[in-house]
Amino acid sequence: MTRQAGEDYGRLVGGDRRHLWHPFTQEKTAPDPVPIVSGRGIELTDAAGNTYLDMISSWWVNLHGHGHPHIAEAIARQAARLEQVIFAGFTHPPAVELATALARLLPGDLDRVFFSDDGSTAVEVALKMAVQFHLNQGRPRTRFLAFEGGYHGDTVGAMSAGRSSGFFGAFDTMMFRVDTLPFPHTWQGDHEVERKEAAALAALDTYLERFGGDTAAMILEPLVQGAGGMRMCRPAFVHRLVGRLQEAGVLVIFDEVMTGFGRTGSLFACRSCDVTPDIICLSKGLTGGFLPLSVTVARETIYQAFYADDFDKALIHGHSYTANPIGCAAALASLELTESAETTARLAAIAGWHGEFMEAARSWPGALRTRVTGTIAALDLGTGGAGYLAAAGPCLKAFFMERGFLIRPLGNVVYLMPPYCVTREQLARAYEAVGEGIARCRGV
Ligand SMILES: *Cc1c(COP(=O)(O)O)cnc(C)c1O
């Protein structure tokens, strides 16, 4: 298959290069961006008519496929009825319905929904809630704990929590201190997992003994660290960790911005871990990948610490588009699809296919640490030195595009995280391309 470029294609790329500035991109050395003009199901189409199978759900946001009519129609209906209204002193049906649905689906008394716009702001809200929760009770706590390699977004608080991801060197002076624990990353055939988990829990015990009383919260990505390289841990470990933290009065913040809404196989990772975090952050898949929206959901006990006659005890935080009605309508439509029996069956099927294809990938030369959690599968490229890795990434990206797949390695990690509408045949083709790409780019 040869990728072609036409006149529209060139015009769009030219206009882009003149006026745009892309995220996470060194504009000087990056290849030209690909102008995408439409999307249907798992397929994206560029301005020259070339198609790409979206195997990373467009940065992990898309759940049910592009252009899903059920969500598109809900958005159109809501836009015609009420597009936006101030959310201080006012409310509206989509916000009430969505908050009610989320409270029903989340475990325990995770019943209080605070809206914002994206994953980073959901995390900022959670961090501020945690600090003020303790303050409002007259017992201020200022320390935060996170996992090594965790990523929580790009605003200042979120960067601080994810500082160890190594993305934020330029902003070192802006960040506040967050302590870290080792993350017991595991994979298929890992014989060290018990030792790593025990070491992480021992480090936590030592930390809590010294600083437990000063620690406001621990924030973590349960089951899968996303941007840190699709690093996975076991549910039983998270369960034990949460038990120790909550016993020490340290709030537990689950950053499920990526893991929410079925990604890890169950509706939320906290359900697989059989715990109720004190605060949970949800975004990416919330609207099915249609609109930016996020929620920070707190337990009723957290909310009660803010519920007082005194205005100073209120959470003084908000955004212009808080609880945008169109976003809420998209989220409600997406939730209907997510909760359907069809999606439940698809989630189980995708996990099964990943397991089967990854089993075969284990024997590829250069494929290390194969791992699967729900709809997410990843492997590490064997190292041939740092220079090799720097060259292999761009080589792989280009190879996958040429073959008609949107697959973007994260450093030395190749992962697949398709929308839930993926078929077995499409996934099989993606694995075939990954195998060929690794074989081709290993030698560059
Ligand atoms: C993507 C991500 C964020 C940040 O979300 P944005 O919408 O990009 O601000 C936070 N936490 C996790 C776990 C993420 O994957």
Side-chain angles (χ1 to χ4, degrees):
M1 202 186 320
T2 46
R3 304 276 125 196
Q4 354 172 325
E7 200 176 306
D8 275 357
Y9 195 107
R11 192 174 44 76
L12 284 165
V13 171
D16 177 286
R17 298 251 69 168
R18 173 69 188 87
H19 287 296
L20 282 155
W21 193 342
H22 292 266
F24 291 110
T25 302
Q26 175 43 269
E27 300 262 330
K28 185 168 182 189
T29 56
D32 282 339
V34 179
I36 297 296
V37 294
S38 64
R40 206 50 163 173
I42 198 172
E43 206 167 83
L44 294 166
T45 303
D46 74 18
N50 302 304
T51 58
Y52 308 87
L53 295 191
D54 184 354
M55 285 291 162
I56 61 166
S57 301
S58 285
W59 254 357
W60 325 343
V61 300
N62 190 286
L63 296 187
H64 310 291
H66 293 277
H68 197 294
H70 185 63
I71 304 175
E73 284 156 20
I75 288 173
R77 267 198 311 275
Q78 187 58 44
R81 182 181 293 256
L82 174 68
E83 83 298 337
Q84 169 67 11
V85 64
I86 175 176
F87 205 62
F90 293 85
T91 194
H92 52 74
V96 173
E97 281 172 44
L98 179 56
T100 305
L102 290 171
R104 169 173 58 81
L105 296 171
L106 287 164
D109 59 345
L110 278 167
D111 288 342
R112 288 289 166 177
V113 178
F114 193 99
F115 281 100
S116 60
D117 307 327
D118 52 58
S120 303
T121 54
V123 166
E124 297 293 332
V125 169
L127 298 174
K128 289 168 85 167
M129 271 180 186
V131 166
Q132 197 179 345
F133 167 78
H134 294 291
L135 190 68
N136 278 0
Q137 293 173 304
R139 297 190 302 267
R141 294 177 175 217
T142 52
R143 284 178 176 270
F144 279 102
L145 200 50
F147 272 126
E148 274 169 17
Y151 172 84
H152 301 287
D154 289 350
T155 52
V156 172
M159 282 201 298
S160 305
R163 184 182 217 148
S164 68
S165 64
F167 293 125
F168 311 123
F171 312 111
D172 233 36
T173 52
M174 296 174 72
M175 289 184 266
F176 57 82
R177 173 178 170 167
V178 173
D179 299 310
T180 55
L181 288 179
F183 180 77
H185 174 32
T186 190
W187 48 84
Q188 295 176 328
D190 175 18
H191 300 301
E192 296 284 296
V193 61
E194 255 114 39
R195 185 193 54 73
K196 287 183 282 190
E197 290 178 351
L201 291 172
L204 174 66
D205 289 340
T206 307
Y207 185 88
L208 290 178
E209 225 165 84
R210 279 193 69 189
F211 304 119
D214 301 328
T215 305
M218 175 161 185
I219 181 165
L220 61 138
E221 296 160 275
L223 296 186
V224 186
Q225 289 189 323
M230 299 301 156
R231 304 201 312 158
M232 301 178 183
C233 72
R234 303 196 298 182
F237 164 76
V238 177
H239 184 88
R240 288 159 74 195
L241 178 98
V242 169
R244 280 162 154 87
L245 289 163
Q246 289 182 331
E247 203 169 296
V250 176
L251 297 184
V252 175
I253 302 170
F254 270 20
D255 177 353
E256 293 218 38
V257 167
M258 188 272 280
T259 54
F261 303 105
R263 270 291 158 214
T264 66
S266 60
L267 195 50
F268 301 103
C270 60
R271 285 192 160 184
S272 312
C273 302
D274 194 20
V275 294
T276 302
D278 298 289
I279 302 174
I280 186 169
C281 305
L282 302 167
S283 183
K284 293 199 165 96
L286 175 58
T287 62
F290 274 65
L291 288 166
L293 185 73
S294 65
V295 291
T296 306
V297 187
R299 297 177 75 158
E300 188 62 24
T301 45
I302 307 280
Y303 177 78
Q304 285 304 328
F306 292 76
Y307 192 80
D309 294 319
D310 185 356
F311 182 77
D312 287 346
K313 294 224 157 138
L315 182 63
I316 310 302
H317 184 105
H319 300 278
S320 311
Y321 282 98
T322 298
N324 172 254
I326 307 173
C328 292
L332 280 163
S334 178
L335 262 185
E336 280 168 14
L337 298 174
T338 306
E339 282 197 86
S340 70
E342 190 190 338
T343 298
T344 307
R346 283 175 179 279
L347 293 180
I350 294 168
W353 300 333
H354 271 322
E356 179 190 333
F357 297 138
M358 268 299 176
E359 194 54 42
R362 285 177 74 173
S363 62
W364 297 345
L368 300 177
R369 293 185 277 278
T370 56
R371 50 200 187 267
V372 175
T373 299
T375 68
I376 309 167
L379 57 82
D380 295 354
L381 290 181
T383 46
Y388 150 71
L389 284 178
C395 172
L396 283 170
K397 245 178 238 175
F399 174 80
F400 294 138
M401 286 303 282
E402 179 64 30
R403 291 286 304 271
F405 290 99
L406 172 46
I407 300 174
R408 288 167 63 95
L410 276 166
N412 70 326
V413 180
V414 183
Y415 71 93
L416 298 175
M417 194 194 293
Y420 305 159
C421 60
V422 70
T423 64
R424 187 178 191 285
E425 186 265 337
Q426 290 164 335
L427 200 60
R429 278 165 52 205
Y431 272 90
E432 201 181 303
V434 169
E436 282 177 37
I438 292 176
R440 170 168 323 179
C441 295
R442 255 167 78 77
V444 297

